[in-house]
Amino acid sequence: MSKGKQFVEKVTAMEEDFAQWYTDVVKQAELVDYGLVRGTMIIKPYGFAIWENIKNELDKKIKETGHSNVAFPVFIPESLLQKEKDHVEGFAPEVAWITHGGDEELAERLAFRPTSEVLFCDYYSKNIHSYRDLPKLYNQWANVVRWEKTTRPFLRSSEFHWQEGHTAHATYEEAAEETDKMLDQYADVIENYMAIPVIKGRKTESEKFAGAEYTITVECMMHDGRALQAGTSHHFGSGFAEAFDITYLDKEGKSQFVHQTSWGFSTRVMGALIMVHGDNRGLVVPPKIAPTQVMIVPIAQHKEGVLDKAYDVRDQLQKIVRVDIDASDNMPGWKFNESEMKGYPIRLELGPKDIEKNQVVLVRRDTGEKEFVAMDQLEKRIAALLDEIQQNLYDTALKHRNEKTHIVKNMDELAHIVEEKPGFMKAMWCGSAECEEKIKEETQVTSRCIPFEQEKVSDTCVCCGNTADTLVYWAKAY
Ligand SMILES: [Zn+2]
């Protein structure tokens, strides 16, 4: 930044235009830039550092639960993609095809992977023979391509980064256990590290993954009341195994189909992070995943001893937190704004007067509260304050979600809520795809999930009025 530029440019107020606010924050907080090809994104150092912190937590859990990381090719031969009918139908409209190698036209088109089920299935069909080969617990961190028509950074992009787990098991029950277990890992990272409360549940038939027996999901609410699906886990039964002939000999020497799962968690969660915690001053990053937890801003840094002291404090804090110092020649006001825009959990101010009093000023990003802390209490206070901020972000998000969750009992109530108080709607559903489709057509609201924690909020379907005993969360979604 040039010295002449005193303040970080303002972002659009979220109450005014939420979509524009989102775009402004993404850009001003230096998370992403647009790629050359429409719908692609360049994840910049700060954006990638946050993603890496999230990713590292999840990767730890993936390994702790017995999975191995692998790397499969980006190319999928067309004939392989065609093997499972529902799967190819689900993904066909979004596949990017490679037709040439150099000047030569390829004998068979290659898809750039939109997801890698078929590659893993092909591999498993050749490498699983006996019950001793099971389970196979593979995961890969990779980029995938889906040719999207409308794109937004993190939320919907033609290329994105994720992990995809692909597992094969001896029995349906084992695969079901795996499906649940991995959804729990997602929920853990999202709730305990990203400070975003989730609703766990099962997708309806029309919303499940193409080719899956069933899909379970974690759904989050954004600041504007819309839902974001933050991670999904799929049980495939033996559907893929039958299409790809993945069999094993059981202990009795009988040939059996394996049962499979897949589960994915992507850079989309960065969108959730921005839209759950962000405010009109920019990004707010929960301490546990913040690349910089404390940013030191020296005041009157040209005065003798100020910078030296600031570096001393940094060296001291480095042992317990991720700390950085802004010793650039920008004015303090600019640095304050920058620090808020980037969402660093704590800003530490230190000037000649503070040095005289042997203290610093700590400013919380989440509440803006300021406090003076004696130098000898600093380490203790910062550790406690980071915990407080982490908890407050979660509590605030949960309170917000509860305030924007409404019970609706018929279509009039549903339409009214959609117009007046956008958020989650809890309503009973008869189970028919027609009702689900009608709700979507009339209100653009989709079923988010059939929550594991069921309640009975009425006796009849919100759409048709017939008897209904399934509670569904509905919302407009990203
Ligand atoms: Zn109905």
Side-chain angles (χ1 to χ4, degrees):
M1 282 291 166
S2 69
K3 198 179 167 188
K5 198 170 167 192
Q6 300 290 304
F7 295 100
V8 179
E9 283 166 46
K10 288 251 164 61
V11 295
T12 307
M14 58 165 76
E15 297 77 13
E16 220 171 87
D17 184 344
F18 194 76
Q20 190 57 47
W21 168 84
Y22 178 82
T23 309
D24 289 350
V25 171
V26 163
K27 230 177 140 52
Q28 306 269 359
E30 298 186 90
L31 301 176
V32 161
D33 229 325
Y34 295 104
L36 283 177
V37 174
R38 196 185 58 85
T40 60
M41 58 177 172
I42 296 161
I43 306 180
K44 297 171 80 170
Y46 187 55
F48 207 75
I50 299 171
W51 167 242
E52 274 187 314
N53 284 346
I54 299 169
K55 177 187 162 178
N56 290 343
E57 291 305 332
L58 181 59
D59 193 57
K60 247 186 264 168
K61 292 175 191 301
I62 288 172
K63 287 173 181 153
E64 279 166 10
T65 44
H67 303 81
S68 303
N69 282 344
V70 294
F72 272 54
V74 295
F75 304 121
I76 304 178
E78 185 168 16
S79 54
L80 193 66
L81 200 59
Q82 303 285 1
K83 268 193 170 177
E84 213 286 342
K85 200 178 112 296
D86 291 340
H87 187 63
V88 68
E89 273 174 18
F91 281 96
E94 301 174 351
V95 171
W97 294 104
I98 294 139
T99 57
H100 286 73
D103 287 339
E104 223 170 289
E105 194 173 337
L106 302 176
E108 181 181 11
R109 293 197 296 176
L110 302 175
F112 191 109
R113 62 182 167 211
T115 179
S116 305
E117 274 72 16
V118 297
L119 290 173
F120 280 83
C121 284
D122 181 62
Y123 176 85
Y124 287 156
S125 73
K126 293 167 183 156
N127 290 278
I128 294 172
H129 308 289
S130 136
Y131 68 89
R132 292 185 196 89
D133 300 326
L134 296 172
K136 280 266 185 285
L137 306 173
Y138 287 175
N139 173 65
Q140 73 172 351
W141 290 95
N143 58 337
V144 289
V145 167
R146 295 181 189 174
W147 216 252
E148 300 275 4
K149 290 198 179 71
T150 46
T151 61
R152 297 182 72 191
F154 293 126
L155 298 172
R156 204 165 281 280
S157 48
S158 297
E159 181 193 8
F160 60 87
H161 298 261
W162 75 347
Q163 62 68 222
E164 45 178 326
H166 297 275
T167 69
H169 307 262
T171 64
Y172 184 95
E173 291 71 28
E174 259 185 54
E177 205 179 289
E178 167 81 5
T179 312
D180 288 346
K181 187 196 288 172
M182 298 326 286
L183 193 77
D184 286 344
Q185 308 305 318
Y186 292 161
D188 186 358
V189 170
I190 298 165
E191 293 200 316
N192 297 321
Y193 292 85
M194 299 180 68
I196 300 173
V198 302
I199 289 168
K200 287 191 218 172
R202 185 167 166 149
K203 288 285 185 188
T204 60
E205 281 297 297
S206 66
E207 295 284 329
K208 74 178 184 186
F209 183 80
E213 185 102 346
Y214 65 82
T215 291
I216 52 178
T217 177
V218 274
E219 300 283 326
C220 312
M221 185 194 282
M222 304 301 101
H223 205 89
D224 62 348
R226 286 172 80 170
L228 188 139
Q229 171 186 302
T232 47
S233 185
H234 319 291
H235 193 310
F236 289 139
S238 56
F240 276 92
E242 286 166 33
F244 286 83
D245 197 28
I246 315 172
T247 58
Y248 70 98
L249 292 178
D250 66 15
K251 284 179 186 169
E252 278 76 45
K254 250 176 70 187
S255 180
Q256 305 275 8
F257 285 115
V258 299
H259 292 80
Q260 289 170 272
T261 81
S262 84
W263 24 276
F265 178 98
S266 77
T267 40
R268 247 172 100 74
V269 298
M270 291 288 290
L273 183 81
I274 299 162
M275 292 193 287
V276 170
H277 300 307
D279 61 23
N280 286 335
R281 289 174 295 153
L283 194 64
V284 179
V285 189
K288 282 191 184 171
I289 53 165
T292 300
Q293 295 169 310
V294 179
M295 176 56 88
I296 300 174
V297 178
I299 310 294
Q301 65 183 37
H302 59 280
K303 293 206 172 153
E304 207 191 325
V306 173
L307 268 183
D308 287 344
K309 186 70 192 169
Y311 280 113
D312 282 351
V313 170
R314 183 199 61 180
D315 293 347
Q316 177 198 347
L317 290 179
Q318 235 160 17
K319 291 166 205 146
I320 57 156
V321 290
R322 297 186 285 273
V323 57
D324 205 349
I325 182 165
D326 187 351
S328 68
D329 59 2
N330 288 305
M331 298 296 284
W334 188 93
K335 293 179 186 179
F336 294 169
N337 284 326
E338 171 78 359
S339 180
E340 289 181 346
M341 184 60 69
K342 292 279 175 70
Y344 307 134
I346 299 174
R347 185 172 81 230
L348 186 157
E349 301 169 14
L350 177 69
K353 275 186 198 141
D354 302 308
I355 294 170
E356 222 168 83
K357 292 181 186 163
N358 208 28
Q359 67 178 27
V360 300
V361 181
L362 299 182
V363 186
R364 290 172 68 145
R365 174 61 181 90
D366 59 338
T367 61
E369 282 163 9
K370 237 178 192 191
E371 59 183 282
F372 297 92
V373 178
M375 215 53 107
D376 61 351
Q377 295 296 311
L378 190 55
E379 288 180 30
K380 214 172 124 197
R381 183 57 193 138
I382 281 184
L385 193 53
L386 288 173
D387 286 346
E388 280 171 41
I389 295 171
Q390 182 80 27
Q391 189 61 46
N392 180 51
L393 288 176
Y394 181 86
D395 293 345
T396 306
L398 183 61
K399 184 166 163 268
H400 175 259
R401 190 186 78 189
N402 290 340
E403 282 167 3
K404 291 198 171 182
T405 300
H406 307 282
I407 289 171
V408 296
K409 294 182 179 170
N410 55 52
M411 286 301 277
D412 285 347
E413 286 179 18
L414 191 142
H416 174 77
I417 295 289
V418 172
E419 280 303 311
E420 302 298 322
K421 307 177 212 171
F424 284 180
M425 286 164 289
K426 286 157 77 170
M428 302 310 284
W429 176 54
C430 66
S432 94
E434 289 76 43
C435 285
E436 200 181 349
E437 187 55 35
K438 192 178 169 202
I439 292 172
K440 193 173 173 179
E441 248 170 41
E442 287 181 6
T443 62
Q444 284 96 54
V445 160
T446 52
S447 71
R448 300 321 307 156
C449 68
I450 302 165
F452 295 151
E453 277 179 39
Q454 281 284 308
E455 292 164 62
K456 198 174 172 81
V457 298
S458 90
D459 297 317
T460 53
C461 175
V462 63
C463 185
C464 66
N466 290 336
T467 314
D469 51 17
T470 306
L471 178 78
V472 172
Y473 272 91
W474 308 82
K476 284 191 179 174
Y478 280 99

